[in-house]
């Protein structure tokens, strides 16, 4: 990531919540988050996004309004079929798409679009010890508030209904289980 890069994060969950402050720490000129629902907007802004764009038919135009131009880097943080291709459509020519979301079903993409825009696609599923140490040091610095990702704290007794609620889209991000809570 270069100094001043325009960074778009697709998805407003936990991966996004960790990507926003990282982008800002590395010198991004602007960090925007986009999601199909607005219920995570406040959390996205709390953890470092400068703007929030709802994924709707005007999404690309709204993203360009937020940045002034298409983003230099798009982080795919959802892991659903079709989103890598969608991100390639949002990024600028010769931009980068970084795939953090794990898509387990087969996916497809428009290779012509990738080639004609000369998009670099970077896959990331794991990390090495240097990257782990960098993340721990960043969290230990006190500059970030990862507790903003915790949407709720529940007891063990409350866990079954919480799991049931997570079967559908909720406002939850990360649920902390307190085994001693009542």
């Amino acid at each position: 990531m270069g100094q001043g890069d325009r960074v778009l994060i697709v998805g407003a969950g936990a991966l996004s919540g960790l990507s926003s402050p990282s982008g800002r720490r590395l010198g991004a000129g602007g960090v925007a988050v986009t999601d199909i629902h607005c219920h995570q907007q406040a959390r996205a802004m709390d953890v470092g996004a400068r703007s929030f764009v709802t994924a709707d038919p005007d999404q690309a135009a709204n993203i360009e309004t937020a940045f002034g131009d298409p983003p230099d880097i798009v982080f795919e943080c959802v892991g659903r079929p079709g989103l890598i291709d969608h991100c390639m459509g949002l990024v600028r020519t010769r931009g980068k798409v970084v795939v953090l979301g794990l898509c387990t079903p087969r996916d497809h993409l428009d290779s012509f679009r990738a080639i004609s825009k000369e998009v670099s696609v970077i896959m990331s599923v794991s990390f090495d010890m240097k990257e782990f140490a960098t993340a721990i040091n960043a969290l230990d610095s006190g500059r970030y508030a990862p507790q903003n990702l915790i949407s709720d704290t529940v007891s063990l007794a409350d866990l079954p209904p919480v799991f049931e609620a997570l079967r559908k889209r909720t406002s939850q991000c990360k649920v902390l289980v307190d085994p001693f809570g009542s």
Side-chain angles (χ1 to χ4, degrees), residues 2-175:
Q3 198 71 15
D5 279 348
R6 297 173 303 268
V7 176
L8 176 68
I9 299 170
V10 175
L15 281 175
S16 167
L18 295 169
S19 299
S20 293
S22 296
R24 293 190 50 210
R25 181 178 61 82
L26 294 171
V31 176
V33 172
T34 184
D35 198 283
I36 58 173
H37 298 290
C38 290
H39 69 269
Q40 299 281 34
Q41 181 174 357
R43 184 174 296 109
M45 301 303 280
D46 284 346
V47 296
R50 290 286 188 226
S51 56
F52 188 92
V53 178
T54 305
D56 58 24
D58 297 325
Q59 180 186 29
N62 294 338
I63 289 166
E64 286 197 38
T65 299
F67 288 126
D69 284 305
D72 301 296
I73 302 172
V74 177
F75 286 86
E76 192 284 300
C77 295
V78 179
R80 295 232 171 131
L83 278 180
I84 296 171
D85 188 61
H86 179 69
C87 291
M88 289 190 309
L90 298 174
V91 74
R92 69 167 171 82
T93 299
R94 295 188 186 97
K96 295 178 186 170
V97 172
V98 180
V99 181
L100 299 177
L102 180 60
C103 181
T104 54
R106 276 190 185 261
D107 201 354
H108 66 279
L109 56 91
D110 181 350
S111 59
F112 180 78
R113 178 185 356 218
I115 291 168
S116 64
K117 287 182 79 175
E118 298 182 32
V119 174
S120 296
V121 178
I122 302 163
M123 304 298 220
S124 178
V125 144
S126 190
F127 53 87
D128 60 26
M129 288 309 292
K130 182 180 176 192
E131 292 167 324
F132 184 76
T134 299
I136 293 299
N137 290 336
L139 291 172
D140 193 40
S141 72
R143 292 183 299 180
Y144 305 106
Q147 62 272 19
N148 287 340
L149 297 176
I150 300 171
S151 54
D152 206 359
T153 301
V154 300
S155 69
L156 286 173
D158 293 332
L159 205 49
V162 169
F163 273 121
E164 203 52 43
L166 290 173
R167 290 181 184 266
K168 57 184 180 279
R169 186 173 274 277
T170 69
S171 61
Q172 301 292 6
C173 185
K174 287 294 178 187
V175 177

